Amino acid sequence: MKDRAKAIWRRNVKRWLIGAGLEASAVATSAGLAKDARGFGAIFTLHHVRPETQPIIGPNRHLEITPEFLDAAIVELKALGYEFIPLSDVPARLAAPSGTPFAAFTLDDGYRNNADHALPVFARHDVPFTVFVAQGLAEHTQPLWWEIMGRLLRQQREVSFDFGQGEEKLELKTTVQKLDTFFRFASYVWSGDERETVGTLCRLAERYGIDPLGMTRELVMGPEELRQFAAHPLVSLGAHTVTHRKLARLSADEAAGEMGRSAEWLGQLTGTRPTMIAYPYGSKEAVGPREFAAARDLGFAIGVTTQPGTLTKADLSRPTALPRISLNGYYQKRRYVSALASGIPFSLKR
Ligand SMILES: [Zn+2]
């Protein structure tokens, strides 16, 4: 219990620190001090883009922004002189920098709101973007455990679950209790075989009336929708594996199979084999040098993580290990966009 309280405290402090870093960077950016950390440009990561429908504080808050904030972010980057380029152009831009900073937009998981709410904003500003699609999610055979747990925690005031030491009653009356429980479920997912632990969480959700794959159908674009979506001139699709598990925890063969098969499937679906991949979760524990090399061997020209940073000349030699900056629900203020793009918050963190 004590350790858990500490973990929450650390998380909140970290979030606060990044926030404070953003405030400091916003000041530095407006004072014109940010040119160096900004590098050549930035790749932004988004997930859901949809109108505010849920309470501001939710366990998946970091995965969600509103169409209005996306619009404001683009306007802000334009005002700062950024040029919007497709992700596929990034290596060429790193090889021959133009002096103008670039921004490339990416969205992970293929949520239907990307077509309904993000595309109109991107189209209004003529901004190209890449959506990373996992085969199992698009075919609606794979559960989105974080969405399922988010819904369960929002709906219930108490649930019972066995984390391995007997059935526990988990109180969910306050936001802190809900967040705490969410992060316990998240560590449970990676405490064993991801497929099994996720299966156990799905059965828990079913006991409370939630249909796990029904949520995938509700939230993620299916194959036919993706084909139509990909036909839009501003849209590119990239691979995001088959089952959306942390690749670094799988065997080398399994990890490479996840990457290769998803590219093949997407190639058959759209007629173009993707040359870009986003590694699921994208953190240091989720992906490493083994996957970066495998991606290269499988013919991917670009691989993106979720490890934060702006792009520099050094990234030219590691195109399958590029950093991205998350545009997320915790920081939906226009001046934070320039601060994030400046790279300063990440240099402060290191
Ligand atoms: Zn993902």
Side-chain angles (χ1 to χ4, degrees):
M1 199 57 192
K2 252 193 173 155
D3 282 344
R4 235 156 61 220
K6 250 191 225 159
I8 295 178
W9 181 82
R10 265 201 306 272
R11 209 161 42 237
N12 287 338
V13 166
K14 197 171 162 200
R15 196 166 287 148
W16 179 85
L17 271 177
I18 296 173
L22 286 175
E23 286 292 1
S25 314
V27 174
T29 310
S30 61
L33 302 173
K35 290 252 156 55
D36 288 343
R38 167 171 96 178
F40 294 148
I43 305 169
F44 290 99
T45 317
L46 290 71
H47 290 84
H48 293 286
V49 178
R50 59 187 172 193
E52 196 91 70
T53 52
Q54 286 152 2
I56 293 278
I57 296 171
N60 293 318
R61 189 70 194 133
H62 64 294
L63 299 178
E64 174 157 356
I65 63 168
T66 63
E68 291 74 27
F69 180 63
L70 176 58
D71 193 278
I74 292 172
V75 168
E76 178 72 12
L77 288 167
K78 244 186 220 171
L80 289 164
Y82 277 78
E83 186 187 337
F84 300 100
I85 65 169
L87 181 64
S88 54
D89 285 3
V90 165
R93 275 299 278 267
L94 293 177
S98 72
T100 308
F102 65 80
F105 277 94
T106 65
L107 296 88
D108 287 8
D109 302 337
Y111 295 111
R112 188 167 290 120
N113 54 48
N114 294 176
D116 293 345
H117 296 293
L119 176 58
V121 178
F122 286 125
R124 192 154 64 235
H125 295 283
D126 201 26
V127 170
F129 62 103
T130 300
V131 174
F132 290 104
V133 184
Q135 180 183 352
L137 294 179
E139 290 184 330
H140 302 153
T141 54
Q142 202 65 37
L144 295 150
W145 68 263
W146 57 94
E147 296 290 338
I148 296 165
M149 290 300 107
R151 182 168 293 181
L152 177 72
L153 298 180
R154 269 195 307 278
Q155 283 179 2
Q156 300 300 323
R157 292 176 62 78
E158 186 184 289
V159 296
S160 299
F161 188 67
D162 182 357
F163 284 97
Q165 281 157 337
E167 197 83 356
E168 258 183 78
K169 264 197 169 57
L170 305 158
E171 276 209 28
L172 302 170
K173 295 198 175 66
T174 66
T175 301
V176 169
Q177 285 171 337
K178 285 174 196 280
L179 277 175
D180 176 23
T181 306
F182 183 83
F183 287 107
R184 284 190 75 192
F185 284 137
S187 22
Y188 172 76
V189 165
W190 293 299
S191 66
D193 178 275
E194 195 171 327
R195 218 192 296 254
E196 280 171 27
T197 53
V198 167
T200 307
L201 290 184
C202 286
R203 287 193 292 280
L204 167 71
E206 276 167 345
R207 285 208 325 254
Y208 292 91
I210 293 172
D211 170 11
L213 292 182
M215 282 193 70
T216 310
R217 281 194 296 276
E218 174 191 324
L219 292 169
V220 179
M221 284 186 272
E224 188 45 43
E225 284 169 279
L226 281 171
R227 230 149 47 87
Q228 288 179 21
F229 185 56
H232 194 285
L234 290 174
V235 176
S236 303
L237 296 187
H240 198 38
T241 74
V242 179
T243 63
H244 202 285
R245 287 178 291 166
K246 282 188 176 176
L247 293 174
R249 300 182 81 236
L250 306 178
S251 73
D253 282 352
E254 231 181 334
E258 283 273 343
M259 295 191 260
R261 278 192 290 134
S262 70
E264 206 133 297
W265 169 79
L266 205 48
Q268 273 163 12
L269 183 72
T270 63
T272 317
R273 190 186 159 98
T275 56
M276 302 177 280
I277 184 164
Y279 310 103
Y281 308 104
S283 60
K284 280 206 165 86
E285 306 80 58
V287 62
R290 187 188 70 176
E291 287 72 38
F292 301 148
R296 215 172 36 233
D297 295 345
L298 287 162
F300 289 106
I302 292 173
V304 290
T305 68
T306 56
Q307 295 155 38
T310 50
L311 294 162
T312 65
K313 204 163 195 88
D315 291 305
L316 192 53
S317 62
R318 45 178 187 239
T320 56
L322 299 179
R324 289 190 291 174
I325 295 171
S326 175
L327 265 196
N328 76 52
Y330 285 114
Y331 311 119
Q332 296 196 62
K333 287 185 185 171
R334 194 176 140 172
R335 69 180 186 284
Y336 284 174
V337 175
S338 51
L340 284 167
S342 76
I344 290 182
F346 316 116
S347 44
L348 288 179
K349 255 174 69 190
R350 274 175 200 143

